Amino acid sequence: MKTGIRIFQIAFTYIGTIVGAGFATGQEIIQFFTQYGKWGALTIMVATALFIWLGTKMMLMSQRISARSYEDLNKHLFGQKAGAVISLVMLVVLIGVNSVMLAGAGSVFMEHLNMHYQTGLLLTIIGTYLLLKRGIHAIMQINSIVVPMMLTLSVLVVMNTIKLPTADRFLSLSTDHNMVAVWFSPIVYTAFNLVMAQAVLVPLGSKTESKTAVKWGGIVGGIGVGLMLLSAHIAISAHMPGIRQYEIPMGSIASHLGAVVQTIYVVLIFMEIFSTFVADIYGVTLQLQQHIKLSPKLISVMVMFICFMLSQFGFSSLLSILYPVFGCLSIIWAVKLVLKSE
C-alpha cells in the first residue's frame, strides 16, 4: 500500500514538473506538436515513449549513484569538468526561467485577483519558503493536488471538444514543415524538458528508497504526460488555425466551458507556476549547497531574492540567447543518458 501511494506521488510530481505552465498556455503544444498537423499525435506518442524510458532511467540512475543534486548526475554523465560547466549553464537558465515564472505569478494576482503585482510576488515567495522547510515531501504533496486538477481540466476540455464538428481535425490537418522537423521535434521537446526537470527528478529518485516505486512512478508519470499532451493537442487542433492568434490558447478554450472552469483554469495556472517554482528553488538550493557553505534556508532566500529582483525587469532577452544554447546541450545530454549504462 505504501509503495502504491509513493508510485502515484512520484508520477504526479513527474507530470507536474514536465507539463507545467506550458500546458496551461498551450503555446508549447502548438510549437512542438500541433503545428505539424496530422503528425502531431504520432510525435506525441514518440515523446511519451521517451519520457517513460529516459525519465525513469534518470531517476533510477540518480538513486543508484545517490546523487545529491542534478550536478552529481551531470558529472556522472559527462565527467567532472564538463558536468560542472553544464550544471552552471543549467543554474543560470533555471534562475532565469524562475524569474519569468515569478513575474507570471504576479501577473495572475494582478489581472485575475485584482491584487497588486508585488503582492503576488511576495505571497509566492513566502509560500515557497514555508513549503521548502519540508523538502521533497512538500513538492510531492503539492503535485498530488495540482496534477489531479490538471487531469480534471484535461478531461473537461476533451469532453467538450468531442462534441464539436471539428473534433477529428487532429487526424487530418496538413503541414508545410518537412519530415525532419516533424520527427526531430518530440526529441527536442523531451530532451529540453527532462534537462529542466533534473532539478526535481534527480533528488526525487535519489531520496526514494524503493526501486519499484521509482520505476513504476516514472512509467505512470510518462504515460500521464503523454495523455495530457494528447488531450491538449486534440482540443487545440479542433480550433485551428484561429486559435493561434491567442497568446494563451488553452485559456481561450477553457473560457468556452463556463465561469467555473475558467476559475479553475486561473487557479491552475498559478498552482502550476507555484509548484514548479518551489521545486526548482529546491533543486537549485541542493546544487548550490555543494559549493556554498551556508544553511539551505539562507541559500533558498538568496536565490528567491535574485529571482524577485530579476522579475522586476524581465529576463526574456537573456533567455532568448540562452535557450538555443541550452537546447543544443539538452540533445547532447539526452544522447549521453541513452548511451550511459545504469
Side-chain angles (χ1 to χ4, degrees), residues 202-280:
V202 168
L204 181 63
S206 182
K207 292 179 183 294
T208 302
E209 293 180 5
S210 170
K211 185 176 180 179
T212 301
V214 173
K215 178 183 176 181
W216 283 103
I219 292 171
V220 174
I223 293 170
V225 170
L227 289 175
M228 294 195 67
L229 288 174
L230 186 61
S231 67
H233 168 65
I234 291 171
I236 292 171
S237 296
H239 294 85
M240 286 287 279
I243 196 70
R244 298 196 72 161
Q245 67 182 296
Y246 295 99
E247 188 174 343
I248 305 178
M250 288 300 293
S252 173
I253 294 170
S255 67
H256 297 152
L257 301 178
V260 174
V261 176
Q262 182 74 357
T263 302
I264 292 172
Y265 173 75
V266 171
V267 172
L268 181 58
I269 288 180
F270 173 72
M271 291 296 286
E272 284 177 335
I273 292 170
F274 181 65
S275 62
T276 306
F277 186 75
V278 172
D280 285 349

Side-chain angles (χ1 to χ4, degrees), residues 2 5-10 12-13 128 130-146 199-200 203-210 274-275 278-279 282-283 286:
K2 186 177 179 182
I5 293 172
R6 183 49 61 95
I7 287 171
F8 279 101
Q9 285 181 327
I10 291 171
F12 285 157
T13 302
T128 300
L130 294 174
L131 274 177
L132 283 173
K133 291 181 179 180
R134 303 193 60 221
I136 196 71
H137 299 292
I139 294 168
M140 286 193 288
Q141 286 172 351
I142 192 172
N143 277 289
S144 295
I145 298 170
V146 174
V200 184
L204 181 63
S206 182
K207 292 179 183 294
T208 302
E209 293 180 5
S210 170
F274 181 65
S275 62
V278 172
Y282 173 75
L286 288 180

Side-chain angles (χ1 to χ4, degrees), residues 289-301:
Q289 265 187 279
Q290 296 177 237
H291 302 281
I292 303 173
K293 302 303 178 184
L294 295 172
S295 72
K297 289 182 182 179
L298 186 56
I299 294 173
S300 296
V301 169

Side-chain angles (χ1 to χ4, degrees), residues 63-181:
Q63 184 188 57
R64 184 176 63 79
I65 67 173
S66 300
R68 292 166 293 173
S69 73
Y70 61 84
E71 183 171 349
D72 285 345
L73 179 65
N74 286 333
K75 287 180 177 178
H76 180 67
L77 292 174
F78 292 92
Q80 290 293 316
K81 291 184 178 179
V85 172
I86 289 171
S87 297
L88 180 61
V89 174
M90 183 177 169
L91 174 68
V92 175
V93 172
L94 275 172
I95 290 176
V97 168
N98 278 280
S99 301
V100 173
M101 279 197 296
L102 186 58
S107 297
V108 170
F109 273 80
M110 183 174 66
E111 294 174 11
H112 298 284
L113 301 176
N114 296 317
M115 297 175 69
H116 197 278
Y117 175 79
Q118 303 296 337
T119 303
L121 299 185
L122 292 173
L123 287 176
T124 303
I125 287 173
I126 292 168
T128 300
Y129 177 78
L130 294 174
L131 274 177
L132 283 173
K133 291 181 179 180
R134 303 193 60 221
I136 196 71
H137 299 292
I139 294 168
M140 286 193 288
Q141 286 172 351
I142 192 172
N143 277 289
S144 295
I145 298 170
V146 174
V147 172
M149 288 175 63
M150 293 165 65
L151 290 168
T152 301
L153 181 62
S154 296
V155 170
L156 290 171
V157 166
V158 169
M159 287 176 63
N160 182 70
T161 301
I162 59 177
K163 299 175 185 176
L164 302 175
T166 55
D168 61 349
R169 188 174 284 175
F170 74 100
L171 296 172
S172 59
L173 280 174
S174 60
T175 179
D176 296 328
H177 296 276
N178 64 60
M179 298 309 293
V180 174

